[in-house]
Amino acid sequence: MDYAAEELKKYLRMMMPRCGEVPIAYDPAAQTAFRLGLMSDFGLDTSDAKDVTLDDIIYLDTTSEGGIIAGSNPGALLIAVYRYLKFCGCRWLFPGIDGEKIPMIDALPAVNYRKKADHRYRGQCNEGAESQRCMLDAIDYTPKIGMNTFMLEFDNPYTYYEKYYNHLGNPSREPEPISYDTALQWKRACEAEIAKRGLLYHDMGHGWTADPFGIPSRGRWTVVDEAEVLPEESRQYLAQLNGRRGLCGGIPLNTNVCLSNPEARAYLRDFKDLGGYIDAFEPERHPDKCFGGTPTCFAYTGGDYPTFDEYVLNYWCEFVRGAKTMYPYAYLGLGDRPALFEGTRYMFESIECLEDVILFGKRRTLRKDKRCECALWTMPAGDRTFALLNFTDKPQAVTVDGIKGRFREFRGTRRFDCTASLSVTLQPHESPLTEQLK
């Protein structure tokens, strides 16, 4: 909140450079001038937010003398300040000071405005060739245009900094090499700037499928000697391609994890060596994290690539076991496998439709054995959803106790009337998800 107040002060003085000092004070009882805070501080309604720490709402109620500028969370408050300044005529056309257009004004406008963000996560990821100044400007720019999320790739993004400071591809400039340690220090500086603005922080991306298993990625897409970098005890966790588990083409960053291996999934979920800033591992907000992947991530029955049902089943398995989010990360080189492309799209669309159920529903395991698993989610309003998984390559006649009510198959045609239990025959690798009929 302090940073939001400082930004409002700075731009008020820029718009009215003869207005004098704009003091900032902590005064919960204030009734005049600009009052900045959380919407809850002012008793404002946030009932349309599922989670006020993640769902941004901004609120403006001002006159020419001041007024209320509020947000549902500290990051939303900063966005609210910039939205108010936009009503005053300020514009941020591109990152950096040169992208600012700040008007000279004689009086402040009256504004009455409330907006809940259309999307929970709005942001960008670093990529390519980057200078540290470029990174800091991009982070600063993010909330000014209403975005709330920033991602930094790699445990150490040296490869992106190296491209810029060595001026690769630009023979007219002399290289300015930096060290691997300097790149890591700069990442920590970026994390501090992200935290100062209340942005949601997503971390690493490239390297998830290497570094947690003791395979040094060093941020490069180069062929390495597998014998030198791959711990033999980690081989079991890697995806099987052409009947062999190992580095994909000898490149750690192109290697995926066998997510049909439950130990590999658990290992990824427990990997937390990320510097302390990442939002994804705050236990009270994200008690579990499911790492998805691509068709090259699985060992399965039919060959080097799964069927549509096997692919979808692997993802639903994690949600049935309590995962709150899916992070499908890796290259989708699906080529001539359209069924797998459809599986990927199906999972993205399904999770988007069921986000509230997965994040906020109360989950209860109804059945768990080597053949099948079933979980039931109950929402605060009483609506229920259940998923039932057949792990085998044979049809299974299954009975699950503890399901009562009328349900319809999610994106399907079947209906289920359950008095106290459900009996159904599941096809191989089938994973029907159902929702309660209104």
Side-chain angles (χ1 to χ4, degrees):
M1 293 190 195
D2 291 343
Y3 185 71
E6 292 287 351
E7 286 291 275
L8 178 61
K9 172 180 177 175
K10 179 180 76 175
Y11 286 106
L12 286 175
R13 296 201 67 192
M14 290 177 69
M15 291 187 295
M16 299 180 292
R18 303 295 184 186
C19 70
E21 174 63 359
V22 179
I24 297 174
Y26 176 73
D27 185 1
Q31 297 296 318
T32 59
F34 283 104
R35 284 95 72 198
L36 275 63
L38 300 182
M39 293 176 68
S40 58
D41 296 333
F42 298 103
L44 299 171
D45 179 31
T46 58
S47 60
D48 49 338
K50 296 294 184 180
D51 183 342
V52 293
T53 66
L54 297 175
D55 296 324
D56 290 344
I57 305 174
I58 61 175
Y59 179 91
L60 309 174
D61 185 9
T62 72
T63 68
S64 60
E65 302 298 320
I68 294 174
I69 299 178
S72 55
N73 55 66
L77 171 60
L78 180 60
I79 293 173
V81 165
Y82 292 133
R83 183 62 58 89
Y84 170 73
L85 293 170
K86 188 174 180 180
F87 279 109
C88 295
C90 296
R91 295 294 185 270
W92 294 273
L93 305 178
F94 50 86
I97 291 176
D98 291 341
E100 292 188 343
K101 178 176 172 55
I102 311 301
M104 297 279 282
I105 62 175
D106 296 321
L108 297 171
V111 179
N112 190 280
Y113 181 81
R114 184 188 189 278
K115 171 67 177 178
K116 177 179 178 293
D118 295 327
H119 302 281
R120 174 171 286 169
Y121 303 106
R122 311 175 307 282
Q124 60 180 309
C125 175
N126 67 318
E127 188 85 31
E130 60 194 32
S131 69
Q132 181 66 346
R133 181 70 267 161
C134 170
M135 290 302 301
L136 297 175
D137 285 347
I139 293 166
D140 177 71
Y141 185 64
T142 294
K144 290 177 176 176
I145 58 173
M147 296 196 291
N148 71 339
T149 303
F150 205 93
M151 177 176 174
L152 298 175
E153 282 208 290
F154 291 115
D155 175 61
N156 185 328
Y158 172 77
T159 185
Y160 293 156
Y161 286 117
E162 177 195 33
K163 289 178 183 177
Y164 177 83
Y165 287 99
N166 282 344
H167 308 301
L168 302 180
N170 186 356
S172 64
R173 296 190 65 179
E174 290 293 326
E176 305 169 84
I178 65 167
S179 70
Y180 198 72
D181 288 342
T182 296
L184 184 59
Q185 290 177 326
W186 284 351
K187 180 181 180 181
R188 294 294 178 259
C190 288
E191 290 171 339
E193 295 301 314
I194 290 168
K196 181 170 74 174
R197 290 163 176 79
L199 302 176
L200 297 175
Y201 176 36
H202 295 185
D203 195 6
M204 200 160 175
H206 288 303
W208 268 129
T209 56
D211 294 295
F213 299 95
I215 306 169
S217 66
R218 298 289 290 185
R220 292 176 179 271
W221 283 270
T222 53
V223 177
V224 299
D225 186 344
E226 183 176 292
E228 293 183 1
V229 303
L230 174 60
E232 194 57 36
E233 63 272 17
S234 295
R235 187 180 298 276
Q236 61 183 312
Y237 302 124
L238 303 185
Q240 178 175 296
L241 290 175
N242 300 319
R244 180 182 179 276
R245 299 185 187 277
L247 300 184
C248 180
I251 301 174
L253 285 176
N254 286 352
T255 301
N256 282 314
V257 177
C258 178
L259 294 187
S260 64
N261 183 336
E263 293 183 10
R265 294 195 296 264
Y267 199 102
L268 283 169
R269 285 198 301 269
D270 292 339
F271 184 67
K272 301 179 177 65
D273 186 18
L274 296 170
Y277 277 99
I278 189 167
D279 290 303
F281 288 109
E282 292 181 12
E284 69 278 9
R285 289 171 60 185
H286 300 275
D288 195 3
K289 188 146 180 87
C290 167
F291 291 86
T294 68
T296 57
C297 290
F298 303 100
Y300 30 74
T301 59
D304 280 333
Y305 290 92
T307 65
F308 171 91
D309 289 331
E310 288 174 320
Y311 184 75
V312 171
L313 180 73
N314 272 277
Y315 284 124
W316 283 128
C317 175
E318 288 303 307
F319 294 109
V320 164
R321 293 175 178 176
K324 295 290 185 180
T325 56
M326 182 183 80
Y327 185 36
Y329 186 81
Y331 292 103
L332 293 173
L334 301 180
D336 59 351
R337 295 173 288 279
L340 302 187
F341 176 84
E342 291 301 320
T344 303
R345 187 171 70 173
Y346 176 87
M347 288 308 302
F348 273 119
E349 292 177 350
S350 297
I351 291 166
E352 184 176 0
C353 291
L354 294 165
E355 181 181 26
D356 289 343
V357 172
I358 293 168
L359 288 177
F360 306 112
K362 185 177 181 181
R363 184 184 61 87
R364 181 161 61 100
T365 299
L366 299 182
R367 174 169 178 160
K368 183 176 182 180
D369 57 44
K370 292 182 179 180
R371 296 187 306 144
C372 304
E373 287 190 22
C374 181
L376 176 73
W377 292 269
T378 302
M379 297 296 289
D383 295 337
R384 294 176 297 168
T385 297
F386 73 83
L388 181 59
L389 311 179
N390 174 12
F391 293 121
T392 74
D393 58 0
K394 296 179 176 61
Q396 297 287 344
V398 178
T399 297
V400 180
D401 297 325
I403 298 179
K404 185 177 181 179
R406 299 182 66 240
F407 296 84
R408 64 181 176 186
E409 189 173 22
F410 179 70
R411 298 187 170 184
T413 58
R414 286 180 292 185
R415 297 289 188 271
F416 303 94
D417 290 311
C418 309
T419 56
S421 64
L422 167 71
S423 294
V424 64
T425 297
L426 299 178
Q427 297 306 308
H429 305 293
E430 189 177 11
S431 51
L433 189 76
T434 68
E435 56 187 356
Q436 188 172 9
L437 288 166
K438 304 298 183 183

